[in-house]
Amino acid sequence: MSKKKKIKWVIYTLIVIAAAALLEVCAFNFKPIAVSLGWRADETRAYTLADIPADGLINCVMDENGLKVTAEGASFTLTGLGYELNTVRIVYEADGIAGVNAFCDSNKEDKTVSLENGAGNTVIDATILSVRFDLDAQAGATVRSFTVIINDYQFDFSWARFVAMIAVAVITRALFGLQRPIDYGIDTSANLQKQEKEDTPQGES
């Protein structure tokens, strides 16, 4: 590879790296940046067991130790939301809880997601009226504390996605560079005809 081509590849790679970083920040992390700059008025909200109404409990009861499961199919519902719920995550302390599913009652399209204790945000992106939390638990399981955190935008720069975008761009450019146009002989034929005319003395037919 010539020095000129090497310089072109270096410049191209730097442009791709800059574009991938810009895309990762602006496209995939737009909301946390918009909130931090004050462009969005989304408010981070947190709910605990104390915010669950008594009529929202199914197959479970609230006592001095928290929430106790009385039968399979236990669930509790967080009502009175009625706003745009973009992200949700949960943090809880419990015994005998195998998992939690959240059924989000939307004004347009309902959505059910599986939530892991202490995991990162799960994207909902809909106006939600209420959320029902279904517990995968047997009778006797207890939930000592349960916190639902909504619209807590966290900046998450994905290095895997960043590297993948760069790799795709570089590999695509390399593949195009390996391609050669098909030679149909048109230029060669035209050059031969031109040469014949130049070689033919004037006056000859």
Side-chain angles (χ1 to χ4, degrees):
M1 183 183 293
S2 65
K3 184 177 180 181
K4 186 176 180 180
K5 286 185 176 181
K6 288 181 179 179
I7 294 175
K8 286 184 177 180
W9 263 106
V10 170
I11 294 175
Y12 175 76
T13 303
L14 292 176
I15 292 174
V16 168
I17 291 174
L22 186 64
L23 184 63
E24 177 63 28
V25 171
C26 295
F28 296 104
N29 288 281
F30 176 76
K31 286 183 178 178
I33 292 176
V35 171
S36 63
L37 294 176
W39 296 346
R40 293 179 65 95
D42 295 7
E43 179 184 353
T44 299
R45 313 185 192 205
Y47 300 92
T48 65
L49 291 176
D51 298 306
I52 306 299
D55 58 358
L57 302 175
I58 298 177
N59 292 338
C60 55
V61 295
M62 204 79 69
D63 59 21
E64 66 276 3
N65 296 320
L67 185 142
K68 184 176 181 180
V69 176
T70 57
E72 290 188 34
S75 68
F76 53 90
T77 303
L78 186 63
T79 59
L81 302 183
Y83 58 82
E84 185 178 355
L85 194 159
N86 292 296
T87 66
V88 61
R89 59 189 175 94
I90 58 174
V91 179
Y92 62 86
E93 294 181 4
D95 294 321
I97 304 297
V100 178
N101 290 324
F103 174 77
C104 303
D105 180 17
S106 172
N107 62 341
K108 291 184 179 180
E109 182 180 355
D110 298 337
K111 182 179 291 188
T112 300
V113 294
S114 179
L115 302 177
E116 295 184 15
N117 184 21
N121 286 327
T122 297
V123 177
I124 304 297
D125 273 344
T127 299
I128 301 300
L129 307 176
S130 64
V131 181
R132 188 188 73 232
F133 297 93
D134 298 325
L135 306 180
D136 183 4
Q138 302 291 329
T142 58
V143 180
R144 294 185 296 277
S145 67
F146 194 98
T147 303
V148 182
I149 304 166
I150 292 174
N151 292 346
D152 179 24
Y153 299 112
Q154 299 171 330
F155 186 87
D156 182 21
F157 191 97
S158 173
W159 286 102
R161 191 163 50 211
F162 174 68
V163 172
M165 287 188 287
I166 296 174
V168 169
V170 171
I171 292 173
T172 302
R173 172 66 182 272
L175 291 175
F176 275 113
L178 293 175
Q179 293 182 349
R180 293 289 183 270
I182 299 175
D183 186 5
Y184 294 101
I186 297 177
D187 293 340
T188 302
S189 177
N191 290 334
L192 288 175
Q193 292 179 3
K194 181 178 180 182
Q195 186 65 36
E196 289 177 356
K197 287 183 179 180
E198 293 177 351
D199 294 341
T200 301
Q202 291 183 357
E204 294 185 6
S205 57

